[in-house]
Amino acid sequence: MTEKTYPVPLLLDGGTGSELIRRGLPAGVCTEQWLTEHPQAILDVQGRYFAAGADAVLTPTFHCNSLSLAGYGLADRTESLNGAMAALSRQAAGAAGLVLGDLSPAAVLLEPLGDCTYDRVLDAYGRQVRALSAAGVDGYLIETAMSLAEVRALVLAIRDNEPEIGRKPLFVTVTVGRNGRTQLTGSDALSCLIVLQAMGVTAFGLNCSLGPAELLTQIRRLAPWAEIPLIAKPNAGMPRVEEGRTVYDCGPAEFAGYTEALARSGVEIFGGCCGTEPAHIAALRRALDALDFAALPPVKKEAHRLVLASEKHVFPFDGLPPVTELPCDGTLSDEAEDAPGLIKLRLEDASGLEAFREAAPSLDCPVCLESADPALLERALLLYSGRACTANEGGLSPACLERLSRRYGLALLPGGN
């Protein structure tokens, strides 16, 4: 973080929406606009979280991107609203607290599954990031992600629009069900980890949907594969509806009771999501202060020579996998279903890229992309919601390969050029 340390453990805040509702936030309004008229509400909420022991709060900008704001007719206020919300969080944080810019996916379906283009998403979130950067946030959290495709675009938007992203952390949390998959597109939490850590995010984890017990189960599944710190921001138990109200039964003591188990699974960043209150964060603070993180035994890790991923599955290889080369044309989706091992695709022109664009969402297999045209290869990597590899048979320069690796997580096939 700029001019700040990244404490381990790092304690984030708890639920914000539920706390604002208690302070009068009406249903169906734009939260950010309402807060410009009722700033004391968020100052009180975040002040109580800092008093409870939180190290950082999230700017109240969950839906403050132009795609979501357009639903309220407020897209033209993207910059001013983000700046105002960040200023309020900075006021609550004072000199010592940290402020993370909060971004949440707008839950759009990207091409070709939907009609929203990557360029539109990159532009929308670029506007939000530039405003948060100008307001001086200490880092970013992309939270409650429901689609690996969209969260990849958000990571790129932050990278492209935050000049100090190398010094400021970039955290990502996705929200999954008990099956470990997101509700919107079925993205698997483990696939998300493999792809996003290859793209260079600072830490990865889970928030919302699950209580601490269910979230711990998923964290333990991620832990052996994690090369970066993990994040745990669960709900106060599994929600249930009672007389029209959403009720959470996990009290502060029970909530904090999972802290040591989470820490032993590689979690360094803690917090709460829906249903958690300052009392939950205070209990977490006490539990964290009682732990010696430096003395925790290391998590036993998976070790493979190459790890690739589609949106829904992870593919580890210890040697050179069998390779099936397929034509990049209209038959690609059908042929890829039955192809053994790694499928190799050569991108030679715009028609091949279009065929790949149409097939990309259904490619639930390890993918090797080859092209002598760096622009074609880069566009294909943007469109593929997974981690691909290349043998570099197109002879691209080392500098080009390094850039694509940093930006998209592209792996070099063992024995490649």
Side-chain angles (χ1 to χ4, degrees):
M1 298 181 181
T2 302
E3 300 179 359
K4 295 180 185 288
T5 59
Y6 165 17
V8 176
L10 178 68
L11 179 55
L12 306 178
D13 55 13
T16 297
S18 53
E19 291 295 301
L20 291 176
I21 290 170
R22 290 192 182 100
R23 289 160 178 80
L25 174 67
V29 304
C30 173
T31 301
E32 293 83 1
Q33 183 183 35
W34 184 83
L35 285 174
T36 63
E37 301 163 359
H38 304 83
Q40 192 56 43
I42 192 64
L43 291 174
D44 183 53
V45 171
Q46 295 190 332
R48 288 174 184 269
Y49 280 130
F50 278 120
D55 300 305
V57 295
L58 308 180
T59 57
T61 51
F62 189 81
H63 283 317
C64 208
N65 60 81
S66 60
L67 294 173
S68 296
L69 290 174
Y72 300 100
L74 296 171
D76 61 340
R77 293 187 58 189
T78 297
E79 289 78 10
S80 63
L81 286 172
N82 276 280
M85 296 303 101
L88 288 172
S89 291
R90 180 61 68 194
Q91 184 179 340
L98 302 175
V99 175
L100 300 179
D102 187 45
L103 287 78
S104 174
V108 296
L109 280 176
L110 283 155
E111 58 178 338
L113 294 178
D115 58 2
C116 192
T117 67
Y118 280 91
D119 294 329
R120 184 182 174 201
V121 172
L122 291 169
D123 176 70
Y125 284 95
R127 291 177 62 186
Q128 183 177 17
V129 172
R130 288 191 295 274
L132 291 170
S133 177
V137 298
D138 299 306
Y140 297 87
L141 173 64
I142 300 169
E143 65 167 335
T144 322
M146 294 181 284
S147 159
L148 180 53
E150 192 177 5
V151 78
R152 288 175 71 248
L154 269 65
V155 168
L156 295 176
I158 294 173
R159 285 267 185 78
D160 292 345
N161 293 281
E162 172 51 78
E164 295 189 79
I165 195 57
R167 298 173 60 195
K168 295 181 180 181
L170 169 51
F171 303 143
V172 178
T173 58
V174 301
T175 180
V176 299
R178 284 190 172 100
N179 63 356
R181 297 186 181 275
T182 65
Q183 186 175 11
L184 184 64
T185 61
S187 303
D188 181 66
L190 183 55
S191 291
C192 292
L193 167 68
I194 297 302
V195 172
L196 295 169
Q197 73 181 4
M199 292 178 71
V201 304
T202 311
F204 172 84
L206 306 173
N207 81 293
C208 206
S209 295
L210 302 175
E214 296 81 11
L215 187 138
L216 174 60
T217 298
Q218 293 301 322
I219 287 289
R220 284 173 168 163
R221 185 166 71 98
L222 300 178
W225 301 85
E227 300 169 3
I228 54 178
L230 294 173
I231 306 169
K233 208 169 181 285
N235 287 348
M238 296 296 289
R240 59 186 174 82
V241 177
E242 192 174 274
E243 297 181 354
R245 293 186 311 115
T246 302
V247 177
Y248 298 89
D249 293 326
C250 187
E254 181 184 354
F255 186 83
Y258 292 89
T259 303
E260 182 173 353
L262 288 166
R264 288 180 175 276
S265 296
V267 174
E268 290 186 359
I269 302 165
F270 297 79
C273 203
C274 302
T276 58
E277 305 173 4
H280 291 81
I281 299 305
L284 262 182
R285 179 80 276 166
R286 292 190 293 271
L288 291 171
D289 289 346
L291 283 175
D292 182 357
F293 275 72
L296 293 175
V299 177
K300 185 178 180 181
K301 299 294 183 180
E302 292 281 344
H304 302 282
R305 192 174 180 187
L306 175 70
V307 181
L308 303 179
S310 67
E311 184 177 7
K312 296 180 173 63
H313 291 96
V314 170
F315 307 101
F317 299 104
D318 294 316
L320 184 66
V323 178
T324 302
E325 184 164 348
L326 298 178
C328 209
D329 58 23
T331 68
L332 176 56
S333 293
D334 293 334
E335 295 197 37
E337 271 189 36
D338 301 320
L342 185 70
I343 67 164
K344 181 188 292 185
L345 307 172
R346 296 185 187 278
L347 298 164
E348 298 177 346
D349 52 32
S351 64
L353 180 64
E354 177 61 21
F356 180 77
R357 185 186 77 86
E358 291 294 329
S362 63
L363 293 179
D364 194 14
C365 55
V367 172
C368 177
L369 296 172
E370 302 294 348
S371 182
D373 185 335
L376 278 179
L377 180 56
E378 178 159 9
R379 192 66 186 179
L381 289 170
L382 177 64
L383 295 169
Y384 179 59
S385 296
R387 188 187 190 202
C389 69
T390 184
N392 194 27
E393 294 175 359
L396 300 180
S397 70
C400 177
L401 289 176
E402 182 181 356
R403 188 182 73 81
L404 295 178
S405 175
R406 286 198 313 269
R407 187 168 176 80
Y408 302 99
L410 178 67
L412 186 62
L413 198 63
N417 298 319

